[in-house]
Amino acid sequence: QVQLVESGGGFVQPGGSLRLSCAASGSIASINAMGWYRQAPGKERELVARIPTGDSINYADSVKGRFTISRDNAKNTVYLQMDSLKPEDTAIYYCNAYIRTPYVVYFTNYWGKGTLVTVSS
């Protein structure tokens, strides 16, 4: 069974920084794209950043230049460095990954349970 566990959320003042981590564990053969999504109160879940196995990283326009996504393939972990945080970044942040388990040829989309980020003065 595969699990994604996020950590690093919390409360921060505007202009501050936080670093989110998400570790994938369980029976994993390979991981394709990994990413972060967020859902603010009363809004739909939206893509924040996505990092595939190649070089093409995607960011939402609202976080470009402030957030940086990275991954450590040896640790099956994806990170989100969030700088210059704004109140509008307040949301639950969810980790997402396409993972292939042993003995199958397809990738399955997995989600973490989310970690709350609150930006407020």
Side-chain angles (χ1 to χ4, degrees):
Q1 193 170 3
V2 173
Q3 282 189 318
L4 298 180
V5 179
E6 303 102 333
S7 62
F11 181 92
V12 64
Q13 293 186 335
S17 298
L18 283 174
R19 188 189 193 215
L20 305 183
S21 299
C22 171
S25 63
S27 184
I28 297 172
S30 63
I31 302 177
N32 199 330
M34 303 184 81
W36 291 93
Y37 288 71
R38 68 186 181 186
Q39 187 166 17
K43 295 188 177 181
E44 294 186 353
R45 190 175 297 189
E46 63 175 1
L47 173 69
V48 176
R50 181 174 181 269
I51 181 169
T53 54
D55 296 331
S56 179
I57 295 176
N58 303 113
Y59 291 99
D61 289 342
S62 59
V63 306
K64 283 181 180 177
R66 300 188 298 123
F67 291 10
T68 303
I69 189 171
S70 61
R71 62 190 287 175
D72 184 335
N73 293 326
K75 296 181 178 179
N76 291 337
T77 299
V78 62
Y79 306 95
L80 185 68
Q81 177 66 41
M82 305 186 294
D83 299 317
S84 302
L85 282 160
K86 303 176 181 180
E88 51 262 43
D89 294 318
T90 295
I92 298 175
Y93 283 71
Y94 297 91
C95 176
N96 172 263
Y98 283 84
I99 297 174
R100 184 175 65 84
T101 53
Y103 313 115
V104 300
V105 297
Y106 55 86
F107 288 82
T108 299
N109 191 15
Y110 289 90
W111 291 90
K113 293 182 178 181
T115 184
L116 178 62
V117 172
T118 303
V119 185
S120 176
S121 55

